[in-house]
Amino acid sequence: MTHPREALHGTTAASSLPVCDHYCGVEARMVKSLSLQSELTQEFGACVFDVTLDCEDGALVGGEKDHALMVSELVNKAYMASKNIALAARSRVAVRVHPVDHDAFEQDVELIVGQHAQGLCHVMLPKVDSVLDVERALKVIDRASESAGRLSPLPVHVLIESPLAVHHVAAIVAHPRVESASFGLMDFVSAHGGVIPACAMETSSSDHPETLDQFGHPLVLRAKLEISAACHAFGKVASHCVVTEFKNAALLEAAARRASRALGFGRMWSIHPDQIRPILKAFAPAEAEVEQASQIICKAFAADWAPIAHHGVLHDRASYRYFWQTLVRAHQTARLSAADPAHQFFVNSF
């Protein structure tokens, strides 16, 4: 029997990333976030969100080296704590380094990647404006990764934060080492010299199109759509920006659902622990959708992927691809029960 990943050609290769990427830049919050990741992994049976330790915005000016050393130690501790457990339950820890043209960039890479590359799931590159920025960064990252004894290439994620980056986004995400692209909302708005109002960095509860929040301002919305479309074109994961109103869970969940369902993002940033569960919930398919997808995919699997009829509706590989992706999202968000017949596809490769 052929596994869905092999039978359903055209599915997104990078879609296995967790739907939430949690950022923290202060040591105490980093420690708490890593602990929370472990707790939710035990609860759900899989690592359901990444923890990205932030050097760019987390380090004090002049204290970049000390900050990088602290991050390096935390990466190693997390790796050592999870290296002997099942792959799905291992910690996923990333680092956001300084931009490639910053004086601290090579130091960040040397002290973190060069010491503990094996403990990282990826490196986030901020302020990427072109493919050249990616190539420059990779030369340093690969040299450090090799010196740390990592055998596989270390994936990189990129932050699209300027009008120039949006202009080049397709070429940037087409790079084979880029796994995901995130939208840097605050820097993008700031890069327009004040012509985009500050309210475009906020999230409104209003659904009126004239509301110039981050979902309503035309330039911001266009940038999001360009990033999402480019990522889908090249099989990468589009990651949505932050919602700063972290105390309003309903607002966050509505924004996350809109990012997923209306704009095509497969992942979203969290900046507060209370945002993680609402993001998981918003990006998860509904229970009825999971049940339908499971029935169709299991029935198609039994038919060796020939066309089938399900509840009076014909299905073939074109619709199978959609329902398989629904199951992938359910698995990513811990919404696929071990008792579900489709769970076999995520524990067996046949």
Side-chain angles (χ1 to χ4, degrees):
M1 304 293 280
T2 307
H3 194 281
R5 283 190 297 265
E6 299 175 5
L8 305 178
H9 302 295
T11 55
T12 304
S15 61
S16 60
L17 291 177
V19 300
C20 182
D21 190 5
H22 181 65
Y23 274 72
C24 41
V26 177
E27 183 177 7
R29 293 173 186 168
M30 293 178 183
V31 172
K32 289 181 180 179
S33 297
L34 291 169
S35 177
L36 180 61
Q37 186 186 64
S38 179
E39 291 173 15
L40 292 190
T41 296
Q42 292 181 29
E43 178 181 340
F44 293 122
C47 187
V48 294
F49 71 94
D50 288 353
V51 174
T52 298
L53 308 179
D54 190 4
C55 288
E56 184 192 19
D57 289 342
L60 298 175
V61 176
E64 291 86 358
K65 182 175 182 180
D66 288 341
H67 192 86
L69 286 168
M70 178 268 294
V71 167
S72 181
E73 182 178 354
L74 289 177
V75 170
N76 187 49
K77 285 182 178 179
Y79 173 69
M80 296 302 293
S82 69
K83 65 182 294 187
N84 294 320
I85 63 178
L87 182 62
R90 289 181 187 173
S91 63
R92 284 185 53 89
V93 182
V95 59
R96 174 163 68 163
V97 295
H98 282 83
V100 69
D101 58 356
H102 192 283
D103 291 341
F105 169 74
E106 293 197 23
Q107 179 177 262
D108 286 347
V109 174
E110 177 185 351
L111 294 177
I112 303 170
V113 179
Q115 296 297 315
H116 306 298
Q118 70 277 12
L120 294 169
C121 57
H122 65 268
V123 173
M124 169 58 79
L125 301 176
K127 307 293 189 297
V128 171
D129 283 334
S130 68
V131 176
L132 180 60
D133 289 338
V134 177
E135 294 287 359
R136 287 176 59 196
L138 281 172
K139 288 180 181 179
V140 180
I141 290 170
D142 286 347
R143 185 168 61 245
S145 184
E146 289 173 10
S147 71
R150 183 181 174 111
L151 301 179
S152 59
L154 185 57
V156 295
H157 293 194
V158 295
L159 253 173
I160 305 300
E161 304 181 77
S162 71
L164 182 60
V166 172
H167 181 70
H168 291 149
V169 65
I172 293 170
V173 302
H175 194 287
R177 290 285 295 281
V178 172
E179 187 176 47
S180 174
S182 296
F183 179 48
L185 171 65
M186 313 300 181
D187 282 282
F188 180 80
V189 172
S190 300
H192 284 77
V195 299
I196 297 180
C199 59
M201 294 187 284
E202 300 170 357
T203 309
S204 169
S205 58
S206 172
D207 292 327
H208 297 299
E210 65 271 15
T211 302
L212 294 179
D213 69 349
Q214 66 161 294
F215 288 98
H217 194 286
L219 284 175
V220 175
L221 184 59
R222 171 183 170 271
K224 291 183 181 185
L225 291 172
E226 292 280 358
I227 293 167
S228 177
C231 284
H232 284 287
F234 294 100
K236 309 301 174 70
V237 176
S239 186
H240 193 266
C241 58
V242 299
V243 168
T244 56
E245 298 85 358
F246 61 86
K247 291 187 177 181
N248 189 332
L251 186 68
L252 169 71
E253 188 176 328
R257 186 173 293 107
R258 188 171 183 181
S260 170
R261 302 255 170 163
L263 304 184
F265 283 84
R267 182 169 159 99
M268 184 169 176
W269 283 35
S270 159
I271 55 171
H272 190 279
D274 290 347
Q275 293 184 325
I276 294 171
R277 288 183 186 271
I279 290 173
L280 292 176
K281 181 180 178 182
F283 276 78
E287 184 177 345
E289 293 176 310
V290 177
E291 182 179 1
Q292 179 190 35
S294 178
Q295 292 173 356
I296 290 173
I297 291 299
C298 287
K299 196 171 183 178
F301 177 70
D304 204 15
W305 307 109
I308 64 166
H310 181 70
H311 292 173
V313 178
L314 290 173
H315 292 281
D316 58 18
R317 295 194 192 193
S319 58
Y320 296 161
R321 292 185 181 98
Y322 171 82
F323 292 111
W324 169 243
Q325 289 296 341
T326 299
L327 291 179
V328 170
R329 291 202 317 277
H331 179 66
Q332 289 173 281
T333 51
R335 292 298 193 273
L336 189 65
S337 165
D340 192 303
H343 189 262
Q344 64 173 315
F345 299 122
F346 299 94
V347 295
N348 298 317
S349 57
F350 309 114

